[in-house]
Amino acid sequence: MDGTVVDVRLDGGSIGAVVPGGTLGPGDPDSTLELDGFLLLPAPADPHAHLDKALSWGAIRPPMGDLRLAIESWHAYSDQMTVDEIADRARAQALTMLAHGTTAIRSHVDLLPGPDPLRGVHALVRVRDELRGLLDLELVTLGGYLTPAEDHEAALAAGVDLVGGAPHLAPDAPAELTRLLEIARQRGVGVDIHTDESLDCDVTLDVLARAVVGWTAPVSAGHCVRLGTLDGPRRDQVIADVLAADVGVIANPITNLYLQGWDSDVATPRGLTAVRALVDAGVRFAAGADNVRDPFNPLGRSDALETAMLLVVAGHLSVDQAYAAVSTGARDVMGLPPARIEPGARAELLAVRGDDLVEVVATASLDRYVLHAGRLVALSETHSRVAAPALLPTYPEAR
């Protein structure tokens, strides 16, 4: 990203050396990638996905609308879902993300209503096992305030990594937050909470932060939309609590831009968290694609460069800051080993055709090489043909 031309030597799953270009010689053609014309980057990680919901828009055909309508549409459809159907969509989505460069994903998975609440859990645990060696997949429970603690505990026993939920949707948000934290504390695991995903709900982000001071398990808060609507002094007070507790904050620009503000006839709010203020304060910050082509968002390219672009145009981050949020920052919030282009770092790499990061984020070229743990796991090549314009006629000089 700094513009230098280098040779990179991989030692298994780690970077062994980064030296001036040409230093290592031509290399073995069978184990060397020639990346002239490409920008080499730390590979993206997505800290907030919903693989169990992904790609269901076509089957559900939900009405376009806000969070409430999306939840109602999803719950109506979920009754008919099977483990196999969920796994098929989740696998397809994860592999598309991998093809675009994402080598680590954290996915929330719904604890479903009905006699088999762990259908989504079993599906995503299966997909995680199938894709082991291609990408890292973390799983987080997602239940409502009526979901019994036993379902969260059963999901953790089945292989889910973290506890999650959406306290802002409960009649008593602080009580639901306390319940989820206690489940996690008893099991000795971390939490990733859907937090204040509304333009006008009560603020619970600071409640979460104060409750986890001193925790050693990872703690993160997703969405945090309400924070972006607070006045400066109140916002800064909440951010100070977040910073003191070392809570990671995860923005989800495409879904929050879609779901929020449907009731605003004029001056529609952007529906994002306080992106600029969080980054300026030094909060551990990340961003994810969230929902892709499901009732919560009909669109999405499953590409971290799309998320980075939205952080620039809607969140006013610099291009460098935006890419950090979907790569090194995301890995930090997810508790993964650092993936930088330096000796000793894990070899999680993405090479994209382009001269610099601005061009790469702007054009999102699909010419890409993706490496996970030092191994080439995805390769995309594009071919374009454009008709040549006819020669312009020659006119005599004007007199």
Side-chain angles (χ1 to χ4, degrees), residues 131-148:
L131 302 185
R132 197 178 304 278
L134 298 179
L135 56 81
D136 296 319
L137 178 56
E138 293 182 353
L139 301 178
V140 188
T141 63
L142 180 57
Y145 67 94
L146 296 177
T147 302

Side-chain angles (χ1 to χ4, degrees), residues 310-383:
L310 290 169
L311 288 176
V312 174
V313 299
H316 292 170
L317 293 188
S318 71
V319 177
D320 285 2
Q321 290 170 330
Y323 190 76
V326 300
S327 57
T328 54
R331 291 179 186 277
D332 180 32
V333 170
M334 294 169 69
L336 296 173
R340 304 183 183 94
I341 305 175
E342 59 187 34
R346 188 170 177 181
E348 302 289 327
L349 301 169
L350 168 64
V352 187
R353 187 176 297 282
D355 290 332
D356 56 37
L357 189 61
V358 172
E359 178 185 351
V360 162
V361 173
T363 64
S365 170
L366 291 178
D367 288 328
R368 305 185 190 192
Y369 294 85
V370 184
L371 290 92
H372 172 58
R375 176 180 171 218
L376 183 66
V377 292
L379 165 62
S380 302
E381 297 176 314
T382 60
H383 301 276

Side-chain angles (χ1 to χ4, degrees), residues 5-9 17-27 34:
V5 178
V6 299
D7 290 345
V8 178
R9 189 187 77 239
V18 181
V19 296
T23 303
L24 298 181
E34 297 291 347

Side-chain angles (χ1 to χ4, degrees), residues 50-381:
H50 290 269
L51 296 182
D52 57 335
K53 296 182 173 76
L55 311 181
S56 61
W57 176 275
I60 299 175
R61 292 295 176 185
M64 295 183 68
D66 61 10
L67 182 61
R68 178 185 59 80
L69 279 174
I71 292 172
E72 290 174 356
S73 299
W74 172 249
H75 283 171
Y77 175 74
S78 65
D79 288 343
Q80 60 189 283
M81 294 189 309
T82 65
V83 172
D84 288 344
E85 188 254 353
I86 298 169
D88 287 346
R89 288 188 289 96
R91 184 187 308 108
Q93 173 63 13
L95 289 173
T96 300
M97 295 170 74
L98 179 64
H100 288 149
T102 296
T103 64
I105 302 169
R106 176 184 286 179
S107 178
H108 298 261
V109 53
D110 277 34
L111 302 176
L112 297 166
D116 186 9
L118 299 191
R119 282 170 290 151
V121 168
H122 295 318
L124 265 60
V125 168
R126 178 198 298 178
V127 170
R128 180 174 63 188
D129 291 341
E130 292 173 350
L131 302 185
R132 197 178 304 278
L134 298 179
L135 56 81
D136 296 319
L137 178 56
E138 293 182 353
L139 301 178
V140 188
T141 63
L142 180 57
Y145 67 94
L146 296 177
T147 302
E150 291 76 14
D151 287 356
H152 288 276
E153 292 164 357
L156 294 169
V160 173
D161 304 290
L162 304 168
V163 171
H168 61 279
L169 298 176
D172 187 341
E176 172 64 0
L177 176 58
T178 298
R179 185 179 77 102
L180 294 172
L181 293 178
E182 182 60 19
I183 295 171
R185 189 192 63 78
Q186 290 182 358
R187 296 285 304 203
V189 300
V191 296
D192 186 346
I193 306 293
H194 284 58
T195 304
D196 303 346
E197 191 182 356
S198 170
L199 294 167
D200 54 8
C201 64
D202 292 337
V203 178
T204 65
L205 178 55
D206 53 349
V207 178
L208 168 62
R210 291 193 296 269
V212 298
V213 171
W215 274 40
T216 56
V219 179
S220 50
H223 299 290
C224 305
V225 173
R226 183 73 168 96
L227 183 67
T229 71
L230 301 179
D231 61 54
R234 178 74 174 109
R235 177 202 64 200
D236 293 346
Q237 180 186 37
V238 175
I239 290 176
D241 287 333
V242 170
L243 195 59
D246 196 29
V247 174
V249 173
I250 303 167
N252 301 291
I254 190 169
T255 297
N256 286 144
L257 289 168
Y258 170 72
L259 286 176
Q260 303 297 324
W262 284 81
D263 294 333
S264 300
D265 294 331
V266 296
T268 304
R270 292 181 179 182
L272 289 179
T273 190
V275 172
R276 177 82 266 161
L278 287 163
V279 171
D280 287 347
V283 170
R284 292 190 300 119
F285 179 76
D290 201 4
N291 300 84
V292 177
R293 289 163 52 196
D294 65 25
F296 299 79
N297 171 30
L299 303 175
R301 298 199 305 268
S302 310
D303 186 354
L305 296 181
E306 178 181 50
T307 303
M309 178 270 294
L310 290 169
L311 288 176
V312 174
V313 299
H316 292 170
L317 293 188
S318 71
V319 177
D320 285 2
Q321 290 170 330
Y323 190 76
V326 300
S327 57
T328 54
R331 291 179 186 277
D332 180 32
V333 170
M334 294 169 69
L336 296 173
R340 304 183 183 94
I341 305 175
E342 59 187 34
R346 188 170 177 181
E348 302 289 327
L349 301 169
L350 168 64
V352 187
R353 187 176 297 282
D355 290 332
D356 56 37
L357 189 61
V358 172
E359 178 185 351
V360 162
V361 173
T363 64
S365 170
L366 291 178
D367 288 328
R368 305 185 190 192
Y369 294 85
V370 184
L371 290 92
H372 172 58
R375 176 180 171 218
L376 183 66
V377 292
L379 165 62
S380 302
E381 297 176 314

